[in-house]
Amino acid sequence: MASALVSPENLLDLCEQGVQKALAAGADQAEVFANSGRETEVTFEKNDLNLARTSSETLFGVRVFCGGRLGFATSNRPEELADIAAEAVALAKASPADPLNGLPDPQPLPSVPFPLDAGLLDLDAATLTQLGSELLERVRAQDSRINIDSGSISVEEDTLAIASSTGIRANYHSVEGGGSLFGMAIDGEEVGSFAYDGDSVQTRADLIPALERAFDRFVNKCIGALGATQGESFRGTILLPPDSVDELLGDLIAVLGADAVRKGKSPLAQKMGSLIASPLLTVVSEGLGLPGYRIEPFDREGIPRQITPLVNEGILCNFLYNSYESRAAGIPSNGHATGGAGSLPGVGPACLSVAAGKTPLSELYAVERGIIVTRLSGSSNPITGDFSGVVKGGFLVKGGEKRPILETTIAGNLYDCLRNISAISQEVTIFNGSTAFPALRIEDVSVTAG
């Protein structure tokens, strides 16, 4: 694989040039954030190889402030930096002033090595096509009923850089490889529920083993969904495998953003230091990345990322802040500005973990009656916590046996579910280097068979 389109050093130089152009155009403060990347991808479709392609893109985002007024503009051409800097300044001058607007001051950043595995960088389209073909054959050999609707295997090399008029200056260079499959099992006239699985890694040595494990999980999900029968209606236990835990935590993370707190959209705004979940639950924003998967040590604003406990043994202990929200709250940012060159900074975690529990997975699933929630399609309200959705490809566990069931509705309240976690597995699974989740057992949820 060829090197990134723009080296991290050259990308940072371009960002610094953009800052100077913005100041010359009349900005009081200016920041330029840039992404440059190159991806080689082989796609799958209808049980076969579909397309091999290489794509590249470089994008610059210029953020300026003029008298407390915000302007933002983007371009994918470095020769247009002066133009988008002037555009951002013009937009700022036409925008309302906000006393909280401004750029953060620089903070010391840790020195970390770039995760640049030579083996991944050497993978070209021809090699990826061969690897993809072998992986497809492996999947098809396991069971002829597997039907792959779509999927891919890819290698992506990226550089990031940020420079600001307050003195922030940082860059990063990384490469990752990964793949995924989406499809179902078909047995005669029976079509099973759709399934998905995939993974990504940062070394070539890990790539094939990781994808083999992910594609094996995909096969098991597809075949496991065949023979589904009517479920049962009851109020009781649901079981979340590790790859379904984000269904529960997504709304929780949304209301832990300081923007939601400030806007009155977080029911947890006054709960700091209070017990909001089972004492079994500990949730951490892993700002330095998960084991074996490094990430850039700075956020979208160039502020150092931090390991930030959000919920510790059920007690709420932190919200997520970028620099705007930290100024609004009168406290330092904890490095949770999200986004890229194409957007203004948001608020959120880069990586998330739930601490392992003490219950073996086999014991966690050994319930009198419960539903394994493999995939949930529905709606939720993070403010009230109410949710309702259809479990697809789920299982009924009863009397020591597990059987696939037709679509079944579950309904409840997020905050009740957090308090009603009765077990967390010892086993933890890392997904795509961004989440590390165990399985959860939750009590007192409404289950209605379709």
Side-chain angles (χ1 to χ4, degrees), residues 224-238:
L226 290 174
T229 56
Q230 186 80 359
E232 296 183 7
S233 299
F234 61 95
R235 189 171 190 88
T237 303
I238 64 170

Side-chain angles (χ1 to χ4, degrees), residues 292-377:
Y293 207 104
R294 294 194 298 273
I295 61 173
E296 63 274 16
F298 53 89
D299 71 0
R300 167 61 178 81
E301 298 180 298
I303 298 301
R305 297 193 190 276
Q306 301 177 25
I307 298 175
T308 307
L310 302 176
V311 179
N312 184 41
E313 296 182 350
I315 295 174
L316 176 63
C317 47
N318 275 298
F319 294 122
L320 305 171
Y321 294 92
N322 61 13
S323 66
Y324 183 94
E325 299 302 336
S326 70
R327 281 190 291 273
I331 63 174
S333 170
N334 53 15
H336 285 90
T338 59
S343 66
L344 290 167
V347 182
C351 299
L352 201 64
S353 73
V354 171
K358 298 181 180 180
T359 305
L361 192 60
S362 58
E363 182 179 325
L364 183 141
Y365 284 155
V367 296
E368 182 176 339
R369 181 170 63 173
I371 295 292
I372 298 177
V373 181
T374 51
R375 187 161 56 93
L376 185 65
S377 176

Side-chain angles (χ1 to χ4, degrees), residues 238-262:
I238 64 170
L239 305 160
L240 299 184
D243 57 352
S244 296
V245 170
D246 60 346
E247 302 275 6
L248 177 73
L249 293 186
D251 282 349
L252 173 63
I253 298 306
V255 299
L256 292 184
D259 53 340
V261 173
R262 175 177 55 83

Side-chain angles (χ1 to χ4, degrees), residues 24-342:
D28 299 331
Q29 290 185 320
E31 168 204 89
V32 180
F33 191 97
N35 308 108
S36 184
R38 177 183 175 91
E39 181 182 33
T40 300
E41 180 183 41
V42 174
T43 60
F44 313 136
E45 188 173 314
K46 297 179 180 179
N47 293 319
D48 208 347
L49 296 172
N50 176 47
L51 178 68
R53 62 188 176 191
T54 297
S55 60
S56 59
E57 182 181 27
T58 299
L59 185 63
F60 299 88
V62 178
R63 182 168 61 134
V64 303
F65 296 100
C66 302
R69 296 173 169 84
L70 167 65
F72 180 72
T74 66
S75 176
N76 58 5
R77 300 170 65 88
E79 60 268 27
E80 294 179 352
L81 279 170
D83 294 335
I84 61 171
E87 180 184 351
V89 169
L91 290 170
K93 291 180 177 179
S95 300
D98 184 339
L100 296 176
N101 276 338
L103 297 176
D105 291 326
Q107 298 179 27
L109 292 172
S111 178
V112 298
F114 295 151
L116 292 172
D117 182 73
L120 282 181
L121 290 171
D122 287 341
L123 289 175
D124 57 16
T127 307
L128 280 179
T129 299
Q130 179 61 35
L131 293 176
S133 178
E134 293 170 359
L135 286 166
L136 283 180
E137 280 301 315
R138 188 175 185 276
V139 169
R140 288 193 291 250
Q142 292 185 59
D143 200 302
S144 61
R145 295 172 293 177
I146 296 296
N147 187 283
I148 298 170
D149 181 78
S150 60
S152 67
I153 178 173
S154 64
V155 175
E156 184 172 0
E157 184 182 8
D158 289 295
T159 58
L160 305 174
I162 182 172
S164 78
S165 58
T166 62
I168 288 174
R169 189 177 187 274
N171 59 10
Y172 196 69
H173 191 179
S174 63
V175 62
E176 69 175 27
S180 63
L181 291 178
F182 178 77
M184 77 294 283
I186 300 176
D187 190 3
E189 297 297 318
E190 182 186 4
V191 179
S193 178
F194 275 107
Y196 167 87
D197 215 310
D199 205 354
S200 58
V201 298
Q202 290 185 321
T203 68
R204 182 169 179 173
D206 291 333
L207 180 61
I208 297 306
L211 292 185
E212 287 180 346
R213 289 191 296 270
F215 291 3
D216 286 351
R217 292 194 300 264
F218 168 78
V219 171
N220 291 334
K221 290 177 183 178
C222 290
I223 299 304
L226 290 174
T229 56
Q230 186 80 359
E232 296 183 7
S233 299
F234 61 95
R235 189 171 190 88
T237 303
I238 64 170
L239 305 160
L240 299 184
D243 57 352
S244 296
V245 170
D246 60 346
E247 302 275 6
L248 177 73
L249 293 186
D251 282 349
L252 173 63
I253 298 306
V255 299
L256 292 184
D259 53 340
V261 173
R262 175 177 55 83
K263 296 173 183 177
K265 295 183 178 181
S266 174
L268 303 180
Q270 305 301 320
K271 300 291 187 180
M272 186 64 66
S274 299
L275 191 70
I276 65 164
S278 163
L280 300 174
L281 183 68
T282 293
V283 183
V284 178
S285 172
E286 302 283 0
L288 303 181
L290 295 167
Y293 207 104
R294 294 194 298 273
I295 61 173
E296 63 274 16
F298 53 89
D299 71 0
R300 167 61 178 81
E301 298 180 298
I303 298 301
R305 297 193 190 276
Q306 301 177 25
I307 298 175
T308 307
L310 302 176
V311 179
N312 184 41
E313 296 182 350
I315 295 174
L316 176 63
C317 47
N318 275 298
F319 294 122
L320 305 171
Y321 294 92
N322 61 13
S323 66
Y324 183 94
E325 299 302 336
S326 70
R327 281 190 291 273
I331 63 174
S333 170
N334 53 15
H336 285 90
T338 59

Side-chain angles (χ1 to χ4, degrees), residues 378-432:
S379 61
S380 62
N381 184 326
I383 299 177
T384 65
D386 293 334
F387 68 87
S388 177
V390 176
V391 178
K392 298 178 179 291
F395 297 86
L396 175 68
V397 178
K398 186 177 182 181
E401 296 184 354
K402 182 179 82 170
R403 65 175 175 87
I405 54 175
L406 299 170
E407 293 185 351
T408 298
T409 299
I410 64 171
N413 183 276
L414 165 66
Y415 305 107
D416 290 340
C417 286
L418 292 173
R419 288 186 288 268
N420 292 336
I421 294 172
S422 60
I424 297 179
S425 70
Q426 295 173 340
E427 300 87 346
V428 174
T429 304
I430 295 178
F431 299 99
N432 296 305

